[in-house]
């Protein structure tokens, strides 16, 4: 069982999708039940992973490895190889949890073309899980690309008024990044063959040869991978697809988009960019750019959020800001920054996923997301208002809730590298409090001004059920994050040791004369890098 | 020449000609039987043609087993060169023709043009294609080309009462004859330079000529090369020799458009590879810059032109031109890579694999468009496919698979063609061309998604369910199955291509030695 657990987790949703194909499409409730059963099953089959993984958390390397290299397409050296470490373990658990929640949340939201919807959603779930499990670059790329198709259809068919535009933009933008990444992968593959005379896409094997690529090639490869991942994250100037996709997507689509899809970009940075190109990421200039873009993203995303009139768009831009923290932590290149970043990715999945559900709840009742349409909602929907408050506080990083732990650890890691970087990132936390509390005030406080809102009914038990696991997770990570850090310790240390051998004794950043003064743009970053 | 003919021709020669003879017999048979058939029995013509293709395939199989481990066999006094390359293409032509035949039956009934000549012309054109792929003497290749081309001109104009079809046929005929003339002119110059029409003699003579001139091509060689290459590029519809393609594709009966876009194109590629690699490989340094220009121009022009098309057949015509651009990239990698190197073989494999997967996915896409044709609807405008999902969900999903495969999204067959081509470009150091190629592939996705958007996200203009004939179901089933199966389990197909490349015993290898 242990040896096939990953395949079982991976293919449970796909099995559900295939089964659904044989259910007549008029039978909407049967379709809903089957989809939900498979979504719950997808979560349940992933639960045994928790004790099993916990038992071997300190062992080095990938665990639960399944399949051998080259067993899929031997003539090109691609294999069906799955395996996880602490980082992918957490992301997989997040995916199965959010997958279940979003499928459950669609029960009443999707009334048209129900069968297709659940089929595509379950296919999407398999695609995302595959990205986090693949230990073969070819397999990884297949999942990475294949997953775009169901997401494109989810946005394009069940989306809002500008769905066609948003769906195509999403597909083209993310594909643009990933095809350049494909060229990067092919180069690594070719380079591995030059050194070892073996053609393989095995990621652990490529880990051995990729760092030997000379800097003038590695920088281009890094950029190719960077484009692929930065678009997915999205980092600041590549974020423009995100508000469109989020606003137009159906609620469950947004939850998955924010909760899991964006994490594929940050996961890519941690899994590939760092260990493959240690010479490039430790280069002060490259690192300066990365940190600079992260900080710009944090501040910019927060400022734009402040200005939004549409709740969903506000949450979408807040994702840009929060993901800025994640990339900031990654490029701090120390254990605190990295583990904080991974934990913050989980936190963002929990709290932003919940925020999109919260917006979805109101949208389902009123079919508008304009903030100005609401006011005094706490009077008519008290349970809803309470849950919203908890999730808002979690998202803005209030101590005792999950967001605080992640952001604090990231800032701690950043502070250890440069005080200025940390100082520039901190306003993001304050701004997050500002836009979220202001939103809360406008929507929930005061008296009901709009007569249409007087008759709104509070959350149904099904809707409450959606939030329970998220709130529990938020409190758990906020109160007792130790198990999470223990799970992350081994993989994070391994990556840091690859990137900066001997850390913390040898500080690569010691050579940087002055810490960055980003001044809100990336230009001074280059100067700081260029000084030495 | 005296004495019994057995002195010059052995049994092997006749065996090599077996599929060609079989196809010809069946084609003539159809013409005869057709005279006796009442209108409602015309579908038997298709059946006979299909059986003929099965027989021809058995003949190819016979040749293949007779060859055994030998990589090649000359026949008819070196005029025919039967190697694995040729066998690979034989199978490809037969598959393309068979699928085109099964999807034609109902279409022709609707068009009221159900005549036996249609099927017999398809078989004749396959005979021509076989001569192109297996020809080693430029005269045989040229005759094969003309046999294929003339059959195709007629097929394009097969809808006698349709103005578009007539116009397309005439345009195709005029431009095709013109390009054949240029091609023949180039070949005659080559003959003048080398004194032979046999590729096996042309190549060493060209090496000699280049050697005498310090590896610089003299103007006559350049002229011969340009004229020949122009003819070849016209036939594969590369920019700037592509103008005939959208018109011919749009006007032709849809089933013939499908046939032209795969089998005819594959034959043109086989001829191009034969001549540029076997005959003119010594001139590769001269023609590679030309090919780079053509390839970039093809990708650019075709992708931009496809963006604004509202006719599905025209759109797919431009998309098929764009695919020629990607395949040319593989040829560039092949011709510039060191010999022997993996880059070279990957480029070669890329082209062959691309042609194979392209055959299935493009036929599939055209099959869907063919089935849109109804009594009163021409069915080739983008509006006609709107809401296809509501009229025929299976077809819409299959079309989505074909389109995504054309765009090169894994895990579908189309991805592997691009994979090998981009790999060979990386291996031979063409990083910028590789980046251009992948970016144009993203660009291409846009117009494929336009079709997908129309199928899934627009209401149907015509609410009626779409009737799908048995033959069409067969064609759709086979193409969709292969598009998905090759995508998920490509190993056997990559091995098939490896086999046909012949690896170490490659004829290309023997040539340069």
């Amino acid at each position: 069982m242990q040896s096939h657990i990953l395949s079982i987790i991976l293919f449970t949703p796909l099995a559900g999708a295939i089964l659904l194909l044989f259910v007549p499409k008029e039978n909407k409730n049967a379709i809903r039940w089957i989809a939900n059963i498979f979504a719950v099953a997808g979560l349940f089959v992933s639960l045994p992973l928790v004790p099993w993984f916990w038992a071997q958390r300190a062992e080095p390397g990938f665990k639960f490895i399944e399949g051998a290299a080259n067993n899929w397409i031997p003539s090109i050296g691609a294999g069906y190889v799955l395996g996880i470490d602490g980082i992918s373990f957490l992301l997989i658990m997040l995916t199965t949890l959010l997958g279940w929640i979003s499928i459950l949340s669609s029960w009443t939201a999707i009334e048209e073309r129900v069968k297709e919807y659940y089929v595509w959603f379950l296919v999407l779930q398999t695609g995302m899980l595959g990205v986090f499990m693949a230990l073969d670059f070819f397999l990884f790329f297949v999942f990475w690309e294949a997953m775009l198709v169901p997401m494109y259809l989810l946005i394009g068919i069940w989306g809002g008024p500008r769905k066609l535009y948003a769906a195509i933009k999403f597909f083209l933008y993310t594909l643009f990044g990933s095809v350049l990444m494909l060229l990067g992968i092919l180069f690594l593959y070719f380079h591995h063959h030059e050194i070892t005379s073996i053609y393989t896409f095995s990621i652990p094997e490529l880990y051995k040869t990729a760092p030997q690529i000379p800097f003038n090639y590695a920088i281009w490869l890094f950029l190719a991978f960077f484009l692929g991942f930065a678009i997915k994250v999205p980092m600041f100037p590549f974020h423009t697809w995100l508000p469109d996709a989020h606003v137009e997507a159906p609620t469950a689509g947004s939850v998955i988009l924010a909760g899991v899809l964006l994490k594929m970009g940050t996961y890519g940075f941690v899994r590939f960019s760092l260990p493959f190109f240690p010479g490039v990421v430790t280069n002060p200039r490259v690192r300066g750019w990365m940190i600079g873009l992260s900080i710009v993203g944090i501040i910019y995303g927060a400022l734009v959020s402040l200005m939004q009139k549409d709740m969903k768009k506000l949450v979408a831009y807040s994702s840009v800001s929060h993901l800025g923290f994640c990339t900031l932590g990654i490029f701090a290149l120390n254990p605190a920054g990295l583990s904080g970043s991974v934990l913050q990715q989980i936190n963002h999945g929990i709290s932003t996923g919940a925020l999109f559900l919260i917006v979805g709840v109101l949208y389902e009742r009123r079919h508008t997301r304009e903030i100005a349409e609401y006011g005094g909602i706490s009077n008519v929907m008290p349970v809803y208002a309470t849950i919203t408050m908890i999730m808002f506080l979690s998202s803005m990083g209030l101590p005792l809730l999950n967001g605080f732990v992640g952001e604090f650890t990231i800032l701690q890691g950043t502070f250890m590298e440069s005080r200025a970087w940390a100082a520039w990132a901190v306003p993001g936390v304050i701004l997050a409090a500002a836009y979220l509390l202001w939103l809360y005030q406008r929507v929930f406080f005061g008296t009901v001004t709009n007569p249409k809102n007087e008759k709104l009914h509070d959350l149904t038990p099904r809707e409450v059920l959606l939030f329970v696991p998220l709130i529990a997770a938020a409190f758990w990570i906020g109160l007792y994050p130790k198990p999470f850090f223990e799970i992350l310790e081994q993989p994070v240390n391994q990556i840091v040791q690859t990137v900066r051998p001997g850390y913390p004794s040898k500080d690569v950043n010691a050579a940087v004369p002055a810490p960055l003064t980003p001044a809100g743009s990336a230009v001074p970053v280059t100067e700081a890098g260029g000084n030495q | 020449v005296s004495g019994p003919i057995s002195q010059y021709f052995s049994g092997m020669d006749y065996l090599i000609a077996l599929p060609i003879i079989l196809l010809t017999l069946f084609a003539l048979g159809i013409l005869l039987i057709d005279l006796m058939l009442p209108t409602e029995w015309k579908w038997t013509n298709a059946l006979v043609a299909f059986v003929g293709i099965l027989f021809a395939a058995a003949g190819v199989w016979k040749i293949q087993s007779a060859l055994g481990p030998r990589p090649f066999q000359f026949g008819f006094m070196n005029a025919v060169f039967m190697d694995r390359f040729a066998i690979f293409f034989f199978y490809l032509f037969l598959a393309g023709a068979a699928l085109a035949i099964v999807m034609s039956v109902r279409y022709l009934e609707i068009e009221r043009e159900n005549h036996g000549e249609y099927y017999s012309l398809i078989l004749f054109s396959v005979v021509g294609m076989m001569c192109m792929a297996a020809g080693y003497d430029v005269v045989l290749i040229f005759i094969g080309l003309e046999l294929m081309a003339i059959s195709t001109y007629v097929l394009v104009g097969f809808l006698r009462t349709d103005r578009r079809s007539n116009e397309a046929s005439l345009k195709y005929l005029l431009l095709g004859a013109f390009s054949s003339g240029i091609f023949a002119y180039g070949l005659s110059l080559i003959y003048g330079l080398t004194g032979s029409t046999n590729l096996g003699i042309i190549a060493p003579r060209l090496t000699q000529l280049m050697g005498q001139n310090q590896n610089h091509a003299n103007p006559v060689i350049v002229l011969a090369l340009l004229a020949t290459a122009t003819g070849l590029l016209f036939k594969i519809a590369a920019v700037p020799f592509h103008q005939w393609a959208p018109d011919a594709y749009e006007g032709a009966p849809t089933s013939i458009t499908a046939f032209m876009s795969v089998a005819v194109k594959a034959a043109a590629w086989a001829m191009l590879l034969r001549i540029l690699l076997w005959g003119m490989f010594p001139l590769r340094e001269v023609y590679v810059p030309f090919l780079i220009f053509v390839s970039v121009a093809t990708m650019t022009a075709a992708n931009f032109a496809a963006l604004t098309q509202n006719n599905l057949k025209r759109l797919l015509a431009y998309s098929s031109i764009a695919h020629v651009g990607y395949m040319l990239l593989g040829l560039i990698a092949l011709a510039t890579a060191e010999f022997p190197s993996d880059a070279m073989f990957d480029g070669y494999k890329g082209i062959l694999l691309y042609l194979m997967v392209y055959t299935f996915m493009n036929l599939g896409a055209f099959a869907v468009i063919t089935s849109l044709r109804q009594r009163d609807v021409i069915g080739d405008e983008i509006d006609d496919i709107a809401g296809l999902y509501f009229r025929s969900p299976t077809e819409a999903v299959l079309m989505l698979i074909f389109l995504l495969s054309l765009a090169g999204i894994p895990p579908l067959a189309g991805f592997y063609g691009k994979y090998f081509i981009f790999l060979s470009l990386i291996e031979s150091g063409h990083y910028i061309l590789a980046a251009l190629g992948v970016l144009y592939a993203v660009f291409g996705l846009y117009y494929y998604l336009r079709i997908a958007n129309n199928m899934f996200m627009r209401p149907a203009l015509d609410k009626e369910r779409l009737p799908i004939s048995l033959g069409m179901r067969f064609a759709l089933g086979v193409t969709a199955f292969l598009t998905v199966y090759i995508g998920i389990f490509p190993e056997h197909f990559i091995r098939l291509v490896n086999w046909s490349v012949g690896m170490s015993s490659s004829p290309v290898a023997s040539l340069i030695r």
Side-chain angles (χ1 to χ4, degrees):
Chain A
M1 182 69 183
Q2 284 214 14
S3 57
H4 289 296
I5 181 71
L6 292 182
S7 278
I8 294 172
I9 299 173
L10 178 61
F11 287 113
T12 303
L14 192 65
I18 291 169
L19 181 70
L20 277 182
L21 289 178
F22 298 101
V23 182
K25 65 173 176 237
E26 290 75 26
N27 210 340
K28 289 187 182 174
N29 273 330
I31 290 166
R32 290 188 178 118
W33 274 107
I34 293 172
N36 276 282
I37 288 167
F38 273 90
V40 174
L43 177 62
F44 272 118
V45 291
S46 69
L47 288 180
L49 205 55
V50 177
W52 293 344
F53 192 90
W54 182 254
Q56 17 180 321
R57 64 190 181 281
E59 288 168 26
F62 292 99
K63 301 158 186 82
F64 302 103
I65 291 182
E66 191 179 331
N70 301 354
N71 64 357
W72 178 27
I73 317 176
S75 45
I76 63 172
Y80 172 75
V81 193
L82 305 178
I84 56 171
D85 64 359
I87 298 168
S88 33
F89 166 69
L90 289 180
L91 288 166
I92 286 168
M93 297 311 293
L94 177 75
T95 311
T96 54
L97 177 69
L98 283 181
W100 166 62
I101 290 177
S102 19
I103 284 184
L104 182 60
S105 79
S106 315
W107 194 287
T108 52
I110 302 299
E111 282 293 341
E112 278 177 13
R113 301 167 79 173
V114 177
K115 175 172 158 181
E116 272 175 277
Y117 176 83
Y118 287 111
V119 169
W120 291 124
F121 216 106
L122 289 167
V123 172
L124 174 67
Q125 184 79 355
T126 292
M128 294 183 305
L129 287 167
V131 168
F132 294 131
M133 289 178 185
L135 279 191
D136 183 279
F137 234 144
F138 199 85
L139 187 68
F140 169 84
F141 187 76
V142 167
F143 282 122
W144 175 277
E145 294 252 288
M147 174 230 86
L148 297 176
V149 180
M151 195 69 217
Y152 153 75
L153 289 163
L154 285 177
I155 299 174
I157 300 178
W158 294 274
R162 289 170 73 232
K163 58 190 182 180
L164 292 184
Y165 170 77
I168 286 205
K169 187 171 180 180
F170 163 77
F171 204 154
L172 289 184
Y173 217 135
T174 39
L175 189 72
F176 166 73
S178 54
V179 291
L180 290 176
M181 183 173 79
L182 172 67
L183 292 186
I185 295 174
L186 290 178
F187 190 95
L188 293 179
Y189 169 75
F190 172 57
H191 177 259
H192 185 84
H193 174 256
E194 294 239 297
I195 293 182
T196 62
S197 309
I198 297 169
Y199 276 125
T200 179
F201 282 103
S202 160
I203 289 168
E205 291 298 315
L206 293 176
Y207 273 154
K208 294 175 196 157
T209 53
Q212 301 169 25
I213 297 172
F215 184 83
N216 52 346
Y217 279 98
I219 178 81
W220 289 103
L221 289 174
F222 173 81
L223 284 177
F225 279 84
F226 168 77
L227 261 183
F229 299 142
I231 287 174
K232 202 76 156 197
V233 170
M235 281 175 87
F236 174 70
F238 306 105
H239 65 279
T240 54
W241 64 269
L242 179 110
D244 288 311
H246 266 315
V247 171
E248 302 306 326
T251 300
S254 299
V255 173
I256 284 293
L257 196 55
V260 184
L261 248 79
L262 307 188
K263 308 309 177 309
M264 288 164 46
T266 43
Y267 174 76
F269 277 124
V270 177
R271 175 70 75 234
F272 304 117
S273 293
L274 262 46
F276 277 161
F277 315 112
V280 180
V281 289
T282 49
N283 179 291
R285 201 156 160 171
V286 174
R287 199 172 165 210
W289 270 95
M290 296 301 125
I291 300 269
L293 290 178
S294 304
I295 293 173
V296 173
I298 293 173
I299 307 284
Y300 170 85
L303 286 176
V304 178
S305 285
L306 269 178
M307 313 291 295
Q308 294 307 316
K309 295 190 174 75
D310 179 313
M311 279 190 255
K312 210 168 180 188
K313 224 168 183 169
L314 189 149
V315 181
Y317 275 107
S318 83
S319 285
V320 177
S321 177
H322 282 126
L323 266 298
F325 276 105
C326 294
T327 46
L328 180 70
I330 290 169
F331 287 96
L333 300 182
N334 57 29
L338 265 174
S339 50
S341 168
V342 177
L343 190 64
Q344 184 63 11
Q345 292 168 32
I346 307 294
N347 292 336
H348 178 260
I350 293 168
S351 41
T352 307
L355 293 191
F356 277 115
L357 286 174
I358 285 166
V359 176
V361 165
L362 271 189
Y363 182 76
E364 228 178 286
R365 286 163 173 68
R366 281 288 321 280
H367 294 284
T368 175
R369 293 181 296 252
E370 286 283 308
I371 297 170
E373 286 277 320
Y374 297 100
I377 298 293
S378 61
N379 299 319
V380 282
M381 301 171 74
V383 180
Y384 175 65
T386 317
I387 289 175
T388 309
M389 194 65 205
I390 297 171
M391 290 331 296
F392 274 24
L393 294 175
S394 138
S395 180
M396 73 182 73
L398 190 84
L400 297 187
L401 281 163
N402 58 348
F404 173 73
V405 181
E407 280 175 4
F408 183 84
T409 324
I410 289 172
L411 288 174
Q412 180 198 355
T414 319
F415 190 82
M416 285 154 69
E417 300 298 318
S418 153
R419 287 173 198 187
W421 293 349
W424 275 103
V426 166
V429 185
I430 302 161
L431 287 170
Y435 60 76
L436 283 171
L437 289 178
W438 191 30
L439 173 68
Y440 197 83
Q441 182 197 347
R442 283 180 289 171
V443 173
F444 289 91
F445 288 161
T447 52
V448 182
T449 45
N450 191 333
K452 287 180 194 158
N453 294 334
E454 282 165 3
K455 292 275 162 57
L456 293 182
H457 58 93
D458 209 341
L459 297 185
T460 62
R462 178 183 64 84
E463 285 167 333
V464 175
L465 182 62
L466 297 176
F467 291 105
V468 170
L470 295 176
I471 293 175
F475 274 107
W476 181 14
I477 299 177
L479 295 170
Y480 190 63
K482 192 161 163 273
F484 291 87
F485 284 119
E486 271 184 48
I487 286 169
L488 288 175
E489 194 182 339
Q490 185 275 326
V492 161
N493 280 338
Q494 194 176 338
I495 290 167
V496 173
Q497 289 308 321
T498 321
V499 180
R500 304 162 82 173
Y503 180 87
S505 60
K506 267 196 301 183
D507 192 357
V508 289
N509 212 39
V512 181
L516 297 171
T517 48
S521 84
V523 182
V525 178
T526 347
E527 290 170 7
N531 277 345
Q532 46 150 358
Chain B
V1 178
S2 62
I5 197 155
S6 59
Q7 188 179 336
Y8 305 102
F9 298 112
S10 65
M12 194 64 194
D13 287 315
Y14 294 113
L15 179 64
I16 285 175
L18 182 62
I20 292 177
I21 294 169
L22 283 171
L23 284 174
T24 313
L25 288 178
F26 271 90
L28 295 172
I30 291 172
L31 290 179
L32 283 178
I33 300 168
D34 184 50
L35 290 175
M36 295 171 257
L37 283 176
T39 322
E40 60 269 26
W41 281 86
K42 292 282 188 192
W43 57 268
T44 41
N45 287 326
L47 191 69
V48 174
F50 193 81
V51 173
I53 285 191
L54 291 183
F55 270 87
V60 182
W61 171 251
K62 198 99 179 98
I63 299 173
Q64 189 185 332
S65 28
L67 275 183
R70 275 178 300 164
F72 56 86
Q73 167 75 44
F74 284 105
F76 293 100
M77 301 169 130
N78 294 355
V80 176
F81 184 64
M82 184 57 66
D83 58 351
R84 294 167 174 185
F85 173 89
I87 291 175
F88 175 84
F89 273 100
F90 279 18
Y91 282 130
L92 209 56
F93 302 150
L94 291 172
L99 290 167
I101 285 170
V102 294
M103 62 197 238
S104 300
V105 184
R106 189 173 156 274
Y107 182 82
L108 289 181
E109 276 170 16
I110 295 173
E111 296 283 2
R112 298 178 204 280
E113 294 286 358
N114 203 351
H115 310 295
E117 291 86 350
Y118 178 90
Y119 301 104
S120 102
L121 282 169
I122 288 187
L123 295 192
F124 279 130
S125 75
V126 175
V127 171
M129 291 173 196
M130 287 183 165
C131 295
M132 289 159 79
Y136 206 52
D137 194 292
V138 289
V139 175
L140 179 65
I141 294 179
F142 190 79
I143 290 174
L145 169 67
E146 286 308 291
L147 177 56
M148 177 192 83
I150 292 169
S151 308
T152 325
Y153 301 146
V154 182
L155 285 169
V156 168
F158 206 75
L159 307 179
R160 285 172 305 171
T161 52
D162 181 12
R163 288 176 56 121
R164 282 199 309 175
S165 181
N166 281 299
E167 182 193 328
S169 180
L170 188 64
K171 268 188 193 163
Y172 189 25
L173 168 71
L174 291 176
L175 284 170
F178 186 61
S179 78
S180 290
I182 296 177
F183 183 51
Y185 180 58
L187 293 180
S188 68
L189 282 176
I190 301 264
Y191 175 68
L193 283 164
T194 60
S196 173
T197 55
N198 194 291
L199 293 179
I201 299 170
I202 289 174
R205 293 271 166 82
L206 282 177
T207 315
Q208 237 175 7
L209 279 174
M210 292 291 280
Q212 286 164 4
N213 209 3
Q214 286 89 40
N215 268 336
H216 291 296
N218 70 44
V220 184
I221 292 184
V222 175
L223 185 63
L225 178 70
L226 280 182
T228 315
T230 303
L232 294 170
L233 293 169
F234 179 91
K235 294 299 172 193
I236 61 167
V239 174
F241 313 108
H242 67 292
Q243 279 94 345
W244 62 273
D247 288 334
Y249 279 29
E250 188 190 350
T254 313
S255 47
I256 288 305
T257 313
F259 181 65
M260 281 168 70
S261 71
V262 295
V264 173
K265 178 161 283 184
W269 263 100
M271 175 174 76
L272 180 134
L273 292 174
R274 271 284 192 240
I275 291 183
L276 287 188
L277 296 183
W278 272 262
M280 300 195 169
F281 205 66
L283 305 180
R284 63 187 179 282
E285 280 169 24
V286 188
Y287 66 64
V288 160
F290 184 57
L291 285 183
I292 292 179
F293 163 76
V294 170
S295 153
V296 173
T298 304
M299 290 188 296
T300 311
N303 278 312
F304 275 95
L307 284 183
T308 54
Q309 299 303 324
N310 281 324
N311 181 293
L312 289 171
K313 278 154 89 178
R314 273 190 101 79
L315 198 159
L316 285 182
Y318 280 110
S319 118
S320 91
I321 297 171
H323 285 283
V324 166
Y326 306 132
M327 285 186 251
L328 281 173
L329 289 177
L331 183 58
I332 292 164
L334 198 176
T336 50
E338 281 175 40
F339 176 82
S341 67
D342 290 339
M344 183 168 172
F345 290 119
D346 283 335
Y348 196 10
K349 273 151 63 175
I351 298 172
L352 294 194
L353 192 65
Y354 210 121
L355 283 168
M356 178 168 76
V357 299
Y358 182 75
T359 299
F360 300 121
M361 61 199 186
N362 214 41
L363 265 178
F366 274 112
V368 173
I369 298 176
T370 308
S371 71
L372 293 174
R373 175 74 173 104
Q374 287 177 28
R375 201 53 78 190
D376 48 351
V377 186
I378 297 177
D380 59 359
E381 293 298 320
I382 205 155
D383 284 341
D384 294 322
I385 210 168
L388 181 66
Y389 177 78
F390 305 102
R391 304 175 63 197
S392 173
T394 319
E395 266 204 325
V397 171
L398 294 185
M399 185 71 173
L400 179 70
I401 289 175
F402 298 132
L403 292 174
L404 291 173
S405 179
L406 283 168
I409 305 286
L412 292 169
F415 174 67
Y416 295 95
K418 292 205 169 73
Y419 165 85
F420 277 109
I421 282 175
F422 294 133
L423 179 64
S424 67
L425 286 172
I426 295 272
E427 283 173 333
S428 55
H430 293 290
Y431 304 118
I432 295 176
L433 277 180
L436 259 180
V438 291
L439 291 180
Y440 276 123
V442 177
F443 204 94
L445 180 70
Y446 176 78
Y447 48 83
Y448 296 125
L449 286 187
R450 254 186 80 208
I451 304 182
N453 277 350
N454 273 288
M455 290 191 305
F456 284 91
M457 301 161 197
R458 270 183 65 186
L461 298 179
D462 181 358
K463 297 272 186 260
E464 232 176 288
R465 270 188 82 86
L466 209 56
I468 297 169
S469 69
L470 196 67
M472 186 57 78
R473 274 168 213 249
F474 175 77
L476 281 173
V478 170
T479 49
F481 173 77
L482 283 169
T483 306
V484 174
Y485 186 83
I486 298 177
I488 299 177
F489 302 105
E491 177 64 19
H492 291 293
F493 297 87
I494 293 174
R495 284 202 194 149
L496 173 72
V497 171
N498 280 345
W499 172 85
S500 55
V501 168
M503 289 315 226
S504 56
S505 59
S506 165
V508 183
S510 61
L511 175 82
I512 302 168
R513 187 182 53 230

